[in-house]
Amino acid sequence: MSPTFEDALEVVLRHLDCPPAEGTPDDEAFLTALNAVLVASQGGLDNEDGVEQAIVIDDDLRTRLEAIAHRRRLNPFGEHPDGIGPTLGMDLRVKPPQ
């Protein structure tokens, strides 16, 4: 069972100023809650009638949460989520001068 938005928000706010150490169980719970809050506030929740509804959070809080999520995200594709760039088969190894 996934946590409610309120539970997730409580976890995020508790660790907002001092996120838990990376790789700990608290860190995993924090990142799960952070993702739940960001998804829910972007319109990712359905009510009983199947209608999508967004939970509104303060713009300043959203900016802080997105910054934390961005810093903690280990994206092997760099800044672009679709992997545009070195992942297209280009040889980026440094070659010795000839």
Side-chain angles (χ1 to χ4, degrees), residues 1-33:
M1 184 171 139
S2 61
T4 65
F5 174 78
E6 291 80 11
D7 292 339
L9 184 61
E10 184 178 321
V11 169
V12 169
L13 293 177
R14 183 175 42 229
H15 296 292
L16 186 60
D17 291 326
C18 186
E22 290 186 36
T24 63
D26 283 342
D27 181 50
E28 185 177 331
F30 172 69
L31 294 177
T32 300

Side-chain angles (χ1 to χ4, degrees), residues 1-91:
M1 184 171 139
S2 61
T4 65
F5 174 78
E6 291 80 11
D7 292 339
L9 184 61
E10 184 178 321
V11 169
V12 169
L13 293 177
R14 183 175 42 229
H15 296 292
L16 186 60
D17 291 326
C18 186
E22 290 186 36
T24 63
D26 283 342
D27 181 50
E28 185 177 331
F30 172 69
L31 294 177
T32 300
L34 178 61
N35 186 50
V37 169
L38 289 173
V39 168
S41 63
Q42 292 173 349
L45 290 182
D46 292 336
N47 63 12
E48 294 81 33
D49 300 325
V51 177
E52 265 193 34
Q53 55 185 2
I55 295 173
V56 179
I57 60 173
D58 182 67
D59 287 339
D60 292 335
L61 178 59
R62 170 172 287 292
T63 301
R64 287 182 70 189
L65 296 180
E66 288 175 346
I68 292 170
H70 182 73
R71 279 193 309 267
R72 301 299 284 277
R73 198 172 292 142
L74 298 176
N75 187 352
F77 301 115
E79 292 296 314
H80 198 285
D82 294 330
I84 295 175
T87 60
L88 296 177
M90 294 179 270
D91 185 5

